[in-house]
Every structure is written in C-alpha cells, then in structure tokens.
Amino acid sequence: MNNRSNKRAVIIIASATDLLFGSAILLAYFGILPVDISNWEVPRWVIGVIGGVWFAGSLAVLVYQLTKTDLE
C-alpha cells in the first residue's frame, strides 16, 4: 500500500465514524434514542442543527472518498 491509499483509508474510516456520531445525535434529537437532551444547557434546535451538519458533512466526505477514482 502506498501513502495515498493509506490516507484514503484513514479518511474513509474517520468519516464513517463521524457519520455514526452525527446519526446518533440526530436519532437522539428526533426522540428515537432514549437520551433526554432537554436537560442539556444547549437549546434543542441547536443540537438538531449540529447533528444535521455533522451527518451531512461526513456523508459528503464518505461518498466522495468511496466514489473517487485514482488515475495513476
């Protein structure tokens, strides 16, 4: 494995992990996970925005890395 494929594998693993974290926050926001987020010091809508942006950003990076072709 060369350096480029190692870097790509690390980015794929990191974005997949971020995707799981973002989806967990969104599931807690929508009430599917049994986590009471109303007791936190942050407004509920802010948690939803953070989870949505985190999920969408990591999904975009993951899809880009999985569909990127190496022209060498």
Side-chain angles (χ1 to χ4, degrees), residues 5-51:
S5 63
N6 286 340
K7 182 178 177 182
R8 185 175 178 188
V10 168
I11 292 173
I12 288 172
I13 292 170
S15 62
T17 305
D18 282 345
L19 188 68
L20 290 175
F21 288 142
S23 62
I25 290 175
L26 283 177
L27 288 174
Y29 173 73
F30 289 124
I32 297 172
L33 284 181
V35 177
D36 187 21
I37 62 173
S38 62
N39 290 336
W40 296 354
E41 298 294 323
V42 180
R44 186 173 173 83
W45 67 271
V46 173
I47 294 173
V49 168
I50 290 172

Side-chain angles (χ1 to χ4, degrees), residues 56-67:
S58 58
L59 181 65
V61 171
L62 182 64
V63 167
Y64 173 74
Q65 289 296 325
L66 290 176
T67 60

